[in-house]
mmCIF file of all heavy atoms in Angstrom:
data_model
loop_
_atom_site.group_PDB
_atom_site.id
_atom_site.type_symbol
_atom_site.label_atom_id
_atom_site.label_comp_id
_atom_site.label_asym_id
_atom_site.label_seq_id
_atom_site.Cartn_x
_atom_site.Cartn_y
_atom_site.Cartn_z
ATOM 1 N N ASN A 67 87.310 100.852 97.204
ATOM 2 C CA ASN A 67 86.159 100.569 96.327
ATOM 3 C C ASN A 67 84.815 100.623 97.044
ATOM 4 O O ASN A 67 83.914 99.842 96.729
ATOM 5 C CB ASN A 67 86.335 99.200 95.657
ATOM 6 C CG ASN A 67 87.644 99.084 94.929
ATOM 7 O OD1 ASN A 67 87.883 99.837 93.979
ATOM 8 N ND2 ASN A 67 88.521 98.197 95.370
ATOM 9 N N CYS A 68 84.703 101.520 98.010
ATOM 10 C CA CYS A 68 83.449 101.618 98.758
ATOM 11 C C CYS A 68 82.508 102.630 98.115
ATOM 12 O O CYS A 68 82.918 103.511 97.368
ATOM 13 C CB CYS A 68 83.713 102.092 100.194
ATOM 14 S SG CYS A 68 84.597 100.901 101.195
ATOM 15 N N GLU A 69 81.252 102.486 98.510
ATOM 16 C CA GLU A 69 80.257 103.507 98.199
ATOM 17 C C GLU A 69 80.381 104.536 99.330
ATOM 18 O O GLU A 69 80.418 104.160 100.510
ATOM 19 C CB GLU A 69 78.893 102.800 98.209
ATOM 20 C CG GLU A 69 77.682 103.641 98.329
ATOM 21 C CD GLU A 69 76.509 102.815 98.890
ATOM 22 O OE1 GLU A 69 76.515 101.561 98.758
ATOM 23 O OE2 GLU A 69 75.614 103.420 99.488
ATOM 24 N N ILE A 70 80.501 105.830 98.988
ATOM 25 C CA ILE A 70 80.621 106.844 100.028
ATOM 26 C C ILE A 70 79.218 107.299 100.413
ATOM 27 O O ILE A 70 78.397 107.620 99.546
ATOM 28 C CB ILE A 70 81.449 108.052 99.521
ATOM 29 C CG1 ILE A 70 82.850 107.604 99.079
ATOM 30 C CG2 ILE A 70 81.536 109.147 100.600
ATOM 31 C CD1 ILE A 70 83.699 106.947 100.151
ATOM 32 N N MET A 71 78.939 107.310 101.701
ATOM 33 C CA MET A 71 77.612 107.762 102.137
ATOM 34 C C MET A 71 77.620 109.275 102.192
ATOM 35 O O MET A 71 78.280 109.867 103.049
ATOM 36 C CB MET A 71 77.250 107.142 103.484
ATOM 37 C CG MET A 71 76.933 105.673 103.286
ATOM 38 S SD MET A 71 76.083 104.917 104.607
ATOM 39 C CE MET A 71 74.456 105.361 104.550
ATOM 40 N N ARG A 72 76.872 109.870 101.265
ATOM 41 C CA ARG A 72 76.915 111.326 101.096
ATOM 42 C C ARG A 72 76.276 112.046 102.273
ATOM 43 O O ARG A 72 76.398 113.256 102.406
ATOM 44 C CB ARG A 72 76.213 111.699 99.793
ATOM 45 C CG ARG A 72 76.719 110.869 98.608
ATOM 46 C CD ARG A 72 78.134 111.276 98.292
ATOM 47 N NE ARG A 72 78.094 112.560 97.659
ATOM 48 C CZ ARG A 72 78.034 112.752 96.348
ATOM 49 N NH1 ARG A 72 78.092 111.727 95.544
ATOM 50 N NH2 ARG A 72 77.956 113.960 95.849
ATOM 51 N N ASP A 73 75.557 111.316 103.102
ATOM 52 C CA ASP A 73 74.912 111.890 104.277
ATOM 53 C C ASP A 73 75.175 110.906 105.418
ATOM 54 O O ASP A 73 74.459 109.932 105.591
ATOM 55 C CB ASP A 73 73.408 112.013 103.980
ATOM 56 C CG ASP A 73 72.596 112.370 105.210
ATOM 57 O OD1 ASP A 73 73.187 112.524 106.303
ATOM 58 O OD2 ASP A 73 71.374 112.482 105.073
ATOM 59 N N ASN A 74 76.277 111.131 106.122
ATOM 60 C CA ASN A 74 76.608 110.200 107.206
ATOM 61 C C ASN A 74 76.635 110.941 108.525
ATOM 62 O O ASN A 74 76.652 112.175 108.555
ATOM 63 C CB ASN A 74 77.939 109.493 106.916
ATOM 64 C CG ASN A 74 79.118 110.440 106.844
ATOM 65 O OD1 ASN A 74 79.760 110.713 107.852
ATOM 66 N ND2 ASN A 74 79.397 110.976 105.654
ATOM 67 N N ARG A 75 76.611 110.202 109.614
ATOM 68 C CA ARG A 75 76.580 110.928 110.899
ATOM 69 C C ARG A 75 77.240 110.153 112.029
ATOM 70 O O ARG A 75 77.503 108.963 111.931
ATOM 71 C CB ARG A 75 75.154 111.306 111.260
ATOM 72 C CG ARG A 75 74.204 110.155 111.466
ATOM 73 C CD ARG A 75 72.839 110.700 111.778
ATOM 74 N NE ARG A 75 72.975 111.748 112.768
ATOM 75 C CZ ARG A 75 72.127 112.754 112.944
ATOM 76 N NH1 ARG A 75 71.063 112.856 112.193
ATOM 77 N NH2 ARG A 75 72.308 113.648 113.893
ATOM 78 N N PHE A 76 77.518 110.906 113.090
ATOM 79 C CA PHE A 76 78.177 110.302 114.251
ATOM 80 C C PHE A 76 77.156 109.776 115.252
ATOM 81 O O PHE A 76 76.036 110.279 115.331
ATOM 82 C CB PHE A 76 79.077 111.331 114.934
ATOM 83 C CG PHE A 76 80.332 111.613 114.150
ATOM 84 C CD1 PHE A 76 80.461 112.780 113.407
ATOM 85 C CD2 PHE A 76 81.380 110.694 114.146
ATOM 86 C CE1 PHE A 76 81.617 113.031 112.670
ATOM 87 C CE2 PHE A 76 82.536 110.943 113.412
ATOM 88 C CZ PHE A 76 82.654 112.116 112.677
ATOM 89 N N ALA A 77 77.575 108.751 116.001
ATOM 90 C CA ALA A 77 76.711 108.170 117.028
ATOM 91 C C ALA A 77 77.534 107.975 118.298
ATOM 92 O O ALA A 77 78.763 107.899 118.247
ATOM 93 C CB ALA A 77 76.171 106.834 116.545
ATOM 94 N N ARG A 78 76.855 107.893 119.399
ATOM 95 C CA ARG A 78 77.545 107.626 120.672
ATOM 96 C C ARG A 78 77.454 106.142 120.996
ATOM 97 O O ARG A 78 76.380 105.557 120.940
ATOM 98 C CB ARG A 78 76.903 108.424 121.800
ATOM 99 C CG ARG A 78 77.157 109.897 121.679
ATOM 100 C CD ARG A 78 76.644 110.617 122.909
ATOM 101 N NE ARG A 78 76.826 112.068 122.727
ATOM 102 C CZ ARG A 78 76.451 112.972 123.611
ATOM 103 N NH1 ARG A 78 75.861 112.595 124.738
ATOM 104 N NH2 ARG A 78 76.664 114.249 123.376
ATOM 105 N N LYS A 79 78.602 105.589 121.354
ATOM 106 C CA LYS A 79 78.677 104.186 121.757
ATOM 107 C C LYS A 79 79.033 104.208 123.239
ATOM 108 O O LYS A 79 80.138 104.597 123.616
ATOM 109 C CB LYS A 79 79.771 103.508 120.937
ATOM 110 C CG LYS A 79 79.986 102.048 121.227
ATOM 111 C CD LYS A 79 81.151 101.521 120.367
ATOM 112 C CE LYS A 79 81.334 100.041 120.519
ATOM 113 N NZ LYS A 79 82.482 99.542 119.725
ATOM 114 N N ASN A 80 78.090 103.839 124.066
ATOM 115 C CA ASN A 80 78.253 104.037 125.508
ATOM 116 C C ASN A 80 78.905 102.856 126.207
ATOM 117 O O ASN A 80 78.429 101.731 126.097
ATOM 118 C CB ASN A 80 76.872 104.271 126.139
ATOM 119 C CG ASN A 80 76.218 105.514 125.573
ATOM 120 O OD1 ASN A 80 76.530 106.626 125.975
ATOM 121 N ND2 ASN A 80 75.340 105.312 124.595
ATOM 122 N N TYR A 81 79.987 103.119 126.853
ATOM 123 C CA TYR A 81 80.570 102.117 127.748
ATOM 124 C C TYR A 81 81.506 102.810 128.712
ATOM 125 O O TYR A 81 81.959 103.930 128.466
ATOM 126 C CB TYR A 81 81.276 100.996 126.980
ATOM 127 C CG TYR A 81 82.459 101.373 126.127
ATOM 128 C CD1 TYR A 81 83.758 101.263 126.619
ATOM 129 C CD2 TYR A 81 82.278 101.815 124.817
ATOM 130 C CE1 TYR A 81 84.849 101.572 125.824
ATOM 131 C CE2 TYR A 81 83.371 102.128 124.011
ATOM 132 C CZ TYR A 81 84.651 102.008 124.525
ATOM 133 O OH TYR A 81 85.728 102.316 123.739
ATOM 134 N N PHE A 82 81.754 102.161 129.839
ATOM 135 C CA PHE A 82 82.608 102.787 130.839
ATOM 136 C C PHE A 82 83.989 102.163 130.813
ATOM 137 O O PHE A 82 84.144 100.950 130.813
ATOM 138 C CB PHE A 82 82.006 102.642 132.244
ATOM 139 C CG PHE A 82 82.928 103.212 133.267
ATOM 140 C CD1 PHE A 82 83.029 104.583 133.442
ATOM 141 C CD2 PHE A 82 83.776 102.376 134.003
ATOM 142 C CE1 PHE A 82 83.939 105.117 134.338
ATOM 143 C CE2 PHE A 82 84.687 102.917 134.901
ATOM 144 C CZ PHE A 82 84.766 104.278 135.074
ATOM 145 N N TYR A 83 84.969 103.017 130.757
ATOM 146 C CA TYR A 83 86.346 102.548 130.793
ATOM 147 C C TYR A 83 87.199 103.691 131.333
ATOM 148 O O TYR A 83 86.923 104.847 131.013
ATOM 149 C CB TYR A 83 86.800 102.170 129.365
ATOM 150 C CG TYR A 83 87.575 100.880 129.348
ATOM 151 C CD1 TYR A 83 86.929 99.672 129.600
ATOM 152 C CD2 TYR A 83 88.950 100.879 129.103
ATOM 153 C CE1 TYR A 83 87.640 98.491 129.603
ATOM 154 C CE2 TYR A 83 89.664 99.691 129.112
ATOM 155 C CZ TYR A 83 89.007 98.503 129.366
ATOM 156 O OH TYR A 83 89.702 97.341 129.380
ATOM 157 N N PRO A 84 88.199 103.419 132.171
ATOM 158 C CA PRO A 84 88.967 104.521 132.775
ATOM 159 C C PRO A 84 89.617 105.450 131.742
ATOM 160 O O PRO A 84 89.796 106.635 132.008
ATOM 161 C CB PRO A 84 90.047 103.799 133.588
ATOM 162 C CG PRO A 84 89.540 102.428 133.795
ATOM 163 C CD PRO A 84 88.630 102.101 132.647
ATOM 164 N N ASP A 85 89.961 104.897 130.552
ATOM 165 C CA ASP A 85 90.627 105.763 129.577
ATOM 166 C C ASP A 85 89.643 106.397 128.592
ATOM 167 O O ASP A 85 90.034 106.921 127.567
ATOM 168 C CB ASP A 85 91.724 104.981 128.831
ATOM 169 C CG ASP A 85 91.209 103.707 128.191
ATOM 170 O OD1 ASP A 85 89.994 103.626 127.943
ATOM 171 O OD2 ASP A 85 92.025 102.806 127.931
ATOM 172 N N LEU A 86 88.355 106.346 128.927
ATOM 173 C CA LEU A 86 87.329 106.964 128.075
ATOM 174 C C LEU A 86 86.555 107.975 128.928
ATOM 175 O O LEU A 86 85.490 107.662 129.467
ATOM 176 C CB LEU A 86 86.377 105.882 127.539
ATOM 177 C CG LEU A 86 85.391 106.327 126.473
ATOM 178 C CD1 LEU A 86 86.099 106.537 125.137
ATOM 179 C CD2 LEU A 86 84.276 105.306 126.306
ATOM 180 N N PRO A 87 87.103 109.187 129.079
ATOM 181 C CA PRO A 87 86.548 110.108 130.080
ATOM 182 C C PRO A 87 85.094 110.507 129.832
ATOM 183 O O PRO A 87 84.370 110.790 130.785
ATOM 184 C CB PRO A 87 87.477 111.322 130.007
ATOM 185 C CG PRO A 87 88.241 111.198 128.738
ATOM 186 C CD PRO A 87 88.289 109.744 128.405
ATOM 187 N N MET A 88 84.634 110.509 128.570
ATOM 188 C CA MET A 88 83.259 110.932 128.322
ATOM 189 C C MET A 88 82.237 109.870 128.705
ATOM 190 O O MET A 88 81.056 110.157 128.833
ATOM 191 C CB MET A 88 83.076 111.275 126.835
ATOM 192 C CG MET A 88 83.852 112.519 126.431
ATOM 193 S SD MET A 88 83.513 113.008 124.727
ATOM 194 C CE MET A 88 84.259 111.686 123.822
ATOM 195 N N GLY A 89 82.695 108.631 128.848
ATOM 196 C CA GLY A 89 81.741 107.553 129.121
ATOM 197 C C GLY A 89 81.103 107.046 127.834
ATOM 198 O O GLY A 89 80.229 106.184 127.864
ATOM 199 N N TYR A 90 81.505 107.602 126.720
ATOM 200 C CA TYR A 90 81.052 107.079 125.422
ATOM 201 C C TYR A 90 82.099 107.411 124.375
ATOM 202 O O TYR A 90 82.869 108.360 124.531
ATOM 203 C CB TYR A 90 79.693 107.663 125.010
ATOM 204 C CG TYR A 90 79.658 109.180 124.910
ATOM 205 C CD1 TYR A 90 80.040 109.834 123.732
ATOM 206 C CD2 TYR A 90 79.247 109.963 125.991
ATOM 207 C CE1 TYR A 90 80.012 111.219 123.644
ATOM 208 C CE2 TYR A 90 79.217 111.347 125.910
ATOM 209 C CZ TYR A 90 79.593 111.977 124.730
ATOM 210 O OH TYR A 90 79.584 113.337 124.650
ATOM 211 N N GLN A 91 82.118 106.596 123.332
ATOM 212 C CA GLN A 91 82.994 106.862 122.202
ATOM 213 C C GLN A 91 82.143 107.503 121.111
ATOM 214 O O GLN A 91 81.005 107.092 120.892
ATOM 215 C CB GLN A 91 83.589 105.543 121.686
ATOM 216 C CG GLN A 91 84.547 105.726 120.520
ATOM 217 C CD GLN A 91 85.019 104.389 119.948
ATOM 218 O OE1 GLN A 91 84.315 103.385 120.015
ATOM 219 N NE2 GLN A 91 86.214 104.384 119.389
ATOM 220 N N ILE A 92 82.684 108.521 120.439
ATOM 221 C CA ILE A 92 81.951 109.066 119.285
ATOM 222 C C ILE A 92 82.392 108.270 118.063
ATOM 223 O O ILE A 92 83.564 108.257 117.694
ATOM 224 C CB ILE A 92 82.225 110.568 119.084
ATOM 225 C CG1 ILE A 92 81.871 111.353 120.356
ATOM 226 C CG2 ILE A 92 81.414 111.095 117.895
ATOM 227 C CD1 ILE A 92 82.149 112.852 120.266
ATOM 228 N N THR A 93 81.436 107.572 117.455
ATOM 229 C CA THR A 93 81.738 106.705 116.331
ATOM 230 C C THR A 93 80.610 106.856 115.324
ATOM 231 O O THR A 93 79.836 107.814 115.395
ATOM 232 C CB THR A 93 81.912 105.248 116.846
ATOM 233 O OG1 THR A 93 82.162 104.378 115.748
ATOM 234 C CG2 THR A 93 80.717 104.761 117.630
ATOM 235 N N GLN A 94 80.530 105.951 114.369
ATOM 236 C CA GLN A 94 79.407 105.983 113.429
ATOM 237 C C GLN A 94 78.737 104.624 113.477
ATOM 238 O O GLN A 94 79.398 103.601 113.620
ATOM 239 C CB GLN A 94 79.893 106.290 112.014
ATOM 240 C CG GLN A 94 80.529 107.667 111.923
ATOM 241 C CD GLN A 94 80.787 108.081 110.479
ATOM 242 O OE1 GLN A 94 81.491 107.394 109.757
ATOM 243 N NE2 GLN A 94 80.215 109.209 110.064
ATOM 244 N N PHE A 95 77.433 104.607 113.374
ATOM 245 C CA PHE A 95 76.733 103.334 113.533
ATOM 246 C C PHE A 95 75.846 103.043 112.326
ATOM 247 O O PHE A 95 76.253 102.354 111.410
ATOM 248 C CB PHE A 95 75.934 103.368 114.843
ATOM 249 C CG PHE A 95 75.309 102.061 115.207
ATOM 250 C CD1 PHE A 95 76.079 100.906 115.292
ATOM 251 C CD2 PHE A 95 73.938 101.975 115.470
ATOM 252 C CE1 PHE A 95 75.489 99.683 115.626
ATOM 253 C CE2 PHE A 95 73.343 100.757 115.813
ATOM 254 C CZ PHE A 95 74.125 99.612 115.886
ATOM 255 N N GLU A 96 74.662 103.675 112.289
ATOM 256 C CA GLU A 96 73.747 103.355 111.189
ATOM 257 C C GLU A 96 74.186 103.964 109.863
ATOM 258 O O GLU A 96 73.880 103.432 108.810
ATOM 259 C CB GLU A 96 72.331 103.818 111.518
ATOM 260 C CG GLU A 96 71.644 102.834 112.447
ATOM 261 C CD GLU A 96 70.672 103.516 113.385
ATOM 262 O OE1 GLU A 96 70.900 104.703 113.699
ATOM 263 O OE2 GLU A 96 69.714 102.857 113.795
ATOM 264 N N ARG A 97 74.873 105.101 109.924
ATOM 265 C CA ARG A 97 75.267 105.760 108.685
ATOM 266 C C ARG A 97 76.774 106.008 108.655
ATOM 267 O O ARG A 97 77.238 107.129 108.868
ATOM 268 C CB ARG A 97 74.494 107.079 108.507
ATOM 269 C CG ARG A 97 72.966 106.871 108.533
ATOM 270 C CD ARG A 97 72.203 108.107 108.113
ATOM 271 N NE ARG A 97 72.437 108.466 106.726
ATOM 272 C CZ ARG A 97 71.866 107.851 105.674
ATOM 273 N NH1 ARG A 97 71.053 106.835 105.872
ATOM 274 N NH2 ARG A 97 72.118 108.248 104.460
ATOM 275 N N PRO A 98 77.538 104.961 108.401
ATOM 276 C CA PRO A 98 79.000 105.121 108.338
ATOM 277 C C PRO A 98 79.388 105.885 107.074
ATOM 278 O O PRO A 98 78.591 105.962 106.133
ATOM 279 C CB PRO A 98 79.498 103.676 108.261
ATOM 280 C CG PRO A 98 78.392 102.942 107.575
ATOM 281 C CD PRO A 98 77.117 103.602 108.050
ATOM 282 N N ILE A 99 80.594 106.401 107.031
ATOM 283 C CA ILE A 99 81.001 107.224 105.884
ATOM 284 C C ILE A 99 81.184 106.402 104.606
ATOM 285 O O ILE A 99 81.024 106.918 103.508
ATOM 286 C CB ILE A 99 82.263 108.042 106.235
ATOM 287 C CG1 ILE A 99 82.504 109.110 105.170
ATOM 288 C CG2 ILE A 99 83.491 107.172 106.418
ATOM 289 C CD1 ILE A 99 83.257 110.314 105.646
ATOM 290 N N ALA A 100 81.495 105.109 104.747
ATOM 291 C CA ALA A 100 81.697 104.287 103.547
ATOM 292 C C ALA A 100 81.206 102.874 103.798
ATOM 293 O O ALA A 100 81.246 102.383 104.932
ATOM 294 C CB ALA A 100 83.167 104.266 103.165
ATOM 295 N N ARG A 101 80.757 102.200 102.722
ATOM 296 C CA ARG A 101 80.312 100.807 102.883
ATOM 297 C C ARG A 101 80.339 100.090 101.530
ATOM 298 O O ARG A 101 80.536 100.718 100.483
ATOM 299 C CB ARG A 101 78.911 100.763 103.490
ATOM 300 C CG ARG A 101 77.889 101.438 102.610
ATOM 301 C CD ARG A 101 76.506 101.366 103.239
ATOM 302 N NE ARG A 101 75.556 102.014 102.338
ATOM 303 C CZ ARG A 101 74.306 102.264 102.612
ATOM 304 N NH1 ARG A 101 73.813 101.956 103.799
ATOM 305 N NH2 ARG A 101 73.506 102.844 101.732
ATOM 306 N N ASN A 102 80.144 98.776 101.605
ATOM 307 C CA ASN A 102 80.074 97.940 100.391
ATOM 308 C C ASN A 102 81.286 98.062 99.478
ATOM 309 O O ASN A 102 81.160 98.276 98.279
ATOM 310 C CB ASN A 102 78.813 98.254 99.573
ATOM 311 C CG ASN A 102 77.550 97.987 100.361
ATOM 312 O OD1 ASN A 102 77.567 97.150 101.276
ATOM 313 N ND2 ASN A 102 76.488 98.688 100.049
ATOM 314 N N GLY A 103 82.458 97.916 100.044
ATOM 315 C CA GLY A 103 83.676 97.964 99.234
ATOM 316 C C GLY A 103 84.273 96.575 99.063
ATOM 317 O O GLY A 103 83.673 95.568 99.441
ATOM 318 N N HIS A 104 85.451 96.539 98.485
ATOM 319 C CA HIS A 104 86.163 95.259 98.356
ATOM 320 C C HIS A 104 87.616 95.503 97.969
ATOM 321 O O HIS A 104 87.955 96.558 97.439
ATOM 322 C CB HIS A 104 85.514 94.379 97.282
ATOM 323 C CG HIS A 104 85.624 94.967 95.906
ATOM 324 N ND1 HIS A 104 84.600 95.661 95.316
ATOM 325 C CD2 HIS A 104 86.654 94.998 95.029
ATOM 326 C CE1 HIS A 104 84.980 96.077 94.121
ATOM 327 N NE2 HIS A 104 86.226 95.703 93.913
ATOM 328 N N LEU A 105 88.444 94.499 98.223
ATOM 329 C CA LEU A 105 89.824 94.495 97.728
ATOM 330 C C LEU A 105 90.088 93.122 97.140
ATOM 331 O O LEU A 105 89.555 92.121 97.623
ATOM 332 C CB LEU A 105 90.818 94.747 98.873
ATOM 333 C CG LEU A 105 90.822 96.137 99.502
ATOM 334 C CD1 LEU A 105 91.829 96.184 100.637
ATOM 335 C CD2 LEU A 105 91.129 97.198 98.462
ATOM 336 N N ASP A 106 90.905 93.069 96.103
ATOM 337 C CA ASP A 106 91.294 91.785 95.518
ATOM 338 C C ASP A 106 92.690 91.437 96.008
ATOM 339 O O ASP A 106 93.635 92.175 95.757
ATOM 340 C CB ASP A 106 91.280 91.868 93.986
ATOM 341 C CG ASP A 106 89.867 92.079 93.461
ATOM 342 O OD1 ASP A 106 88.915 91.601 94.127
ATOM 343 O OD2 ASP A 106 89.701 92.724 92.413
ATOM 344 N N ILE A 107 92.793 90.316 96.707
ATOM 345 C CA ILE A 107 94.118 89.904 97.181
ATOM 346 C C ILE A 107 94.698 88.867 96.223
ATOM 347 O O ILE A 107 93.949 88.161 95.541
ATOM 348 C CB ILE A 107 94.078 89.324 98.620
ATOM 349 C CG1 ILE A 107 93.110 88.138 98.726
ATOM 350 C CG2 ILE A 107 93.709 90.396 99.616
ATOM 351 C CD1 ILE A 107 93.229 87.379 100.042
ATOM 352 N N THR A 108 96.040 88.798 96.173
ATOM 353 C CA THR A 108 96.698 87.794 95.342
ATOM 354 C C THR A 108 97.029 86.596 96.223
ATOM 355 O O THR A 108 97.637 86.737 97.282
ATOM 356 C CB THR A 108 97.994 88.364 94.737
ATOM 357 O OG1 THR A 108 97.660 89.576 94.040
ATOM 358 C CG2 THR A 108 98.622 87.392 93.754
ATOM 359 N N LEU A 109 96.602 85.411 95.794
ATOM 360 C CA LEU A 109 96.866 84.197 96.572
ATOM 361 C C LEU A 109 98.235 83.629 96.210
ATOM 362 O O LEU A 109 98.860 84.053 95.235
ATOM 363 C CB LEU A 109 95.774 83.160 96.293
ATOM 364 C CG LEU A 109 94.344 83.648 96.554
ATOM 365 C CD1 LEU A 109 93.333 82.586 96.142
ATOM 366 C CD2 LEU A 109 94.164 83.999 98.035
ATOM 367 N N ASP A 110 98.689 82.656 97.000
ATOM 368 C CA ASP A 110 100.019 82.075 96.768
ATOM 369 C C ASP A 110 100.170 81.473 95.373
ATOM 370 O O ASP A 110 101.242 81.506 94.785
ATOM 371 C CB ASP A 110 100.311 80.983 97.812
ATOM 372 C CG ASP A 110 100.669 81.616 99.155
ATOM 373 O OD1 ASP A 110 100.956 82.833 99.155
ATOM 374 O OD2 ASP A 110 100.650 80.913 100.170
ATOM 375 N N ASP A 111 99.076 80.928 94.837
ATOM 376 C CA ASP A 111 99.169 80.310 93.508
ATOM 377 C C ASP A 111 99.042 81.344 92.393
ATOM 378 O O ASP A 111 98.930 80.997 91.221
ATOM 379 C CB ASP A 111 98.098 79.221 93.354
ATOM 380 C CG ASP A 111 96.679 79.799 93.377
ATOM 381 O OD1 ASP A 111 96.525 81.040 93.420
ATOM 382 O OD2 ASP A 111 95.717 79.020 93.348
ATOM 383 N N GLY A 112 99.034 82.639 92.753
ATOM 384 C CA GLY A 112 98.960 83.699 91.746
ATOM 385 C C GLY A 112 97.538 84.104 91.415
ATOM 386 O O GLY A 112 97.312 85.133 90.782
ATOM 387 N N GLY A 113 96.556 83.318 91.862
ATOM 388 C CA GLY A 113 95.151 83.655 91.601
ATOM 389 C C GLY A 113 94.697 84.824 92.464
ATOM 390 O O GLY A 113 95.395 85.245 93.381
ATOM 391 N N LYS A 114 93.516 85.362 92.142
ATOM 392 C CA LYS A 114 92.986 86.507 92.889
ATOM 393 C C LYS A 114 91.757 86.089 93.669
ATOM 394 O O LYS A 114 91.039 85.187 93.257
ATOM 395 C CB LYS A 114 92.557 87.608 91.908
ATOM 396 C CG LYS A 114 93.694 88.153 91.094
ATOM 397 C CD LYS A 114 94.136 89.468 91.645
ATOM 398 C CE LYS A 114 95.317 89.987 90.853
ATOM 399 N NZ LYS A 114 96.071 90.961 91.567
#
Side-chain angles (χ1 to χ4, degrees):
N67 306 298
C68 292
E69 162 203 337
I70 301 300
M71 287 196 77
R72 310 291 286 268
D73 170 0
N74 63 90
R75 62 182 314 155
F76 287 103
R78 290 187 184 178
K79 180 182 185 182
N80 299 280
Y81 62 95
F82 177 77
Y83 223 70
D85 54 23
L86 189 74
M88 292 185 292
Y90 58 86
Q91 181 185 29
I92 303 178
T93 178
Q94 297 190 302
F95 187 54
E96 281 148 332
R97 303 190 65 78
I99 192 154
R101 61 180 181 188
N102 299 334
H104 65 261
L105 291 178
D106 294 330
I107 57 169
T108 305
L109 304 175
D110 284 345
D111 65 5
K114 298 258 178 200

